[in-house]
Amino acid sequence: YAANGVGPAFEFDGETITPVITGENADRPIRVVAHKDHLFLFYVDGRILHSAVYKPLNFEVVQGALLAGIGDEITDVAQTATGELTILGRNKVAVLYGTNSQNWNLVTLTDESGATPWTTQLLGAPLYLDKIGIRSLDTTQAYGNFVLGTKTQLVQRHFLNKRLGNIPAVGSLRI
């Protein structure tokens, strides 16, 4: 499954490309993730759409599909090592807990910091670039199960100079 932000998501079985038809207006997802036996589609306007369980091409609500949102521009998505789905916006970080549309719980961790597109990597915990540097979403025993931390205090000036010089990040690479 793949998405390109200019048309519907699509399925490739090795020979044939089949569009994923959801029935949504402006059906141009920017990310696609298989999570908890659902196909999730993420849109730049903050919408999150997932298929019925075990039916990646079925987006009928009566079959278990769901449309939700985070209220911010979605920039990245990452599954955590503990099985949750982290949804990163331009100015927001949210985590989806649960296993299906009957018990999903979408929790906002912060609405003061978010991820730069295409910079999230999973290195034990999700790492991503935000406005001040590289942040981590480490697990904790505290309420919410996650804590945000900055990993680049020693090179903070470098990230600030790039941002002030309008030099954007274009991606990240895990080595």
Side-chain angles (χ1 to χ4, degrees), residues 7 11 13-14 19 26 57 66 72 92-93 100 103-104 123 140 154 159 161 168:
E11 175 186 61
D13 65 6
L57 301 179
L66 184 69
D72 191 25
K92 184 178 279 192
V93 177
N100 60 52
N103 65 8
W104 292 133
L123 287 116
T140 180
L154 297 176
F159 286 101
N161 288 338

Coordinates of all heavy atoms in Angstrom, one line a residue, residues 7 11 13-14 19 26 57 66 72 92-93 100 103-104 123 140 154 159 161 168:
G7 N -3.2 11.8 -5.3 CA -4.4 11.0 -5.7 C -4.7 10.0 -4.7 O -4.1 10.0 -3.6
E11 N -2.9 0.0 -3.9 CA -2.5 -1.3 -3.5 C -1.7 -1.8 -4.7 O -2.1 -1.7 -5.8 CB -3.7 -2.2 -3.2 CG -3.3 -3.6 -2.9 CD -4.6 -4.5 -2.8 OE1 -5.3 -4.6 -3.8 OE2 -4.8 -5.0 -1.7
D13 N 0.1 -5.5 -5.9 CA 0.2 -6.9 -5.5 C 1.4 -7.6 -6.2 O 1.5 -8.8 -6.2 CB -1.1 -7.6 -5.8 CG -1.4 -7.7 -7.3 OD1 -0.6 -7.2 -8.2 OD2 -2.5 -8.2 -7.7
G14 N 2.2 -6.8 -6.8 CA 3.4 -7.3 -7.4 C 3.3 -7.2 -9.0 O 4.2 -7.3 -9.7
P19 N -6.3 1.4 -7.3 CA -6.5 2.5 -6.4 C -7.4 2.1 -5.2 O -8.3 1.2 -5.3 CB -7.3 3.5 -7.3 CG -7.8 2.8 -8.4 CD -6.9 1.6 -8.6
A26 N -11.6 15.0 -1.9 CA -10.2 15.3 -1.8 C -9.4 14.1 -1.2 O -8.7 14.2 -0.2 CB -10.0 16.6 -0.9
L57 N -9.6 -2.6 1.8 CA -10.2 -1.8 0.7 C -11.6 -1.4 1.0 O -12.3 -0.8 0.2 CB -10.2 -2.6 -0.6 CG -8.8 -3.0 -1.1 CD1 -8.9 -3.7 -2.4 CD2 -7.9 -1.7 -1.3
L66 N -13.5 4.1 10.1 CA -13.7 5.2 10.9 C -13.0 6.4 10.3 O -11.9 6.3 9.8 CB -13.1 4.9 12.3 CG -13.3 6.0 13.4 CD1 -14.8 6.2 13.7 CD2 -12.5 5.7 14.6
D72 N -4.9 19.4 13.1 CA -3.7 20.0 12.8 C -3.2 19.4 11.5 O -3.6 18.2 11.2 CB -2.6 19.9 13.9 CG -1.4 20.7 13.6 OD1 -1.4 21.7 13.0 OD2 -0.3 20.3 14.2
K92 N 1.4 19.6 16.7 CA 0.7 18.7 17.7 C 1.3 17.3 17.6 O 1.8 16.9 16.5 CB -0.7 18.6 17.3 CG -1.6 17.8 18.2 CD -3.1 17.9 17.9 CE -3.7 19.1 18.4 NZ -5.1 19.2 18.3
V93 N 1.3 16.6 18.7 CA 1.7 15.2 18.7 C 0.5 14.4 19.4 O 0.1 14.8 20.5 CB 3.0 14.9 19.5 CG1 3.3 13.4 19.6 CG2 4.2 15.7 18.8
N100 N -9.2 -1.3 17.9 CA -10.2 -1.2 16.8 C -11.1 0.0 17.1 O -11.0 0.7 18.1 CB -11.0 -2.5 16.6 CG -11.8 -2.9 17.9 OD1 -12.5 -2.1 18.4 ND2 -11.6 -4.1 18.3
N103 N -12.7 0.7 20.6 CA -12.0 1.2 21.8 C -10.8 2.1 21.5 O -9.9 2.3 22.3 CB -11.5 0.0 22.6 CG -10.5 -0.9 21.9 OD1 -10.0 -0.6 20.8 ND2 -10.1 -2.0 22.5
W104 N -10.8 2.7 20.3 CA -9.7 3.7 20.0 C -9.8 4.8 21.0 O -10.9 5.2 21.4 CB -9.8 4.3 18.6 CG -9.6 3.4 17.4 CD1 -10.4 3.4 16.3 CD2 -8.5 2.5 17.1 NE1 -9.9 2.5 15.4 CE2 -8.8 2.0 15.9 CE3 -7.4 2.1 17.8 CZ2 -7.9 1.1 15.3 CZ3 -6.6 1.2 17.3 CH2 -6.8 0.7 16.0
L123 N 13.7 4.8 16.7 CA 15.0 4.3 17.2 C 14.7 4.0 18.7 O 15.1 4.7 19.6 CB 16.1 5.3 17.1 CG 16.6 5.4 15.7 CD1 16.4 6.8 15.1 CD2 18.1 5.1 15.6
T140 N 7.2 6.2 29.4 CA 7.3 6.5 30.8 C 6.2 5.8 31.6 O 5.2 5.4 31.0 CB 7.2 8.0 31.1 OG1 7.4 8.3 32.5 CG2 6.0 8.7 30.6
L154 N 23.1 20.3 22.8 CA 24.5 20.7 22.6 C 24.6 21.4 21.2 O 25.6 22.1 21.0 CB 25.4 19.6 22.8 CG 25.5 19.0 24.2 CD1 26.4 17.8 24.2 CD2 25.9 20.0 25.2
F159 N 20.5 24.1 14.8 CA 19.1 24.0 14.3 C 18.5 25.3 14.2 O 17.7 25.6 13.3 CB 18.4 23.0 15.2 CG 18.7 21.6 15.0 CD1 19.6 21.0 15.9 CD2 18.2 20.9 14.0 CE1 20.0 19.7 15.7 CE2 18.6 19.6 13.8 CZ 19.5 18.9 14.7
N161 N 20.0 28.3 13.6 CA 20.5 29.0 12.4 C 19.9 28.4 11.1 O 19.6 29.2 10.2 CB 22.0 28.8 12.4 CG 22.7 29.7 13.5 OD1 22.1 30.6 14.0 ND2 23.9 29.3 13.8
P168 N 15.1 24.3 5.1 CA 14.2 23.3 5.6 C 14.9 21.9 5.6 O 15.7 21.6 4.7 CB 13.0 23.3 4.6 CG 13.6 23.7 3.3 CD 14.7 24.7 3.7

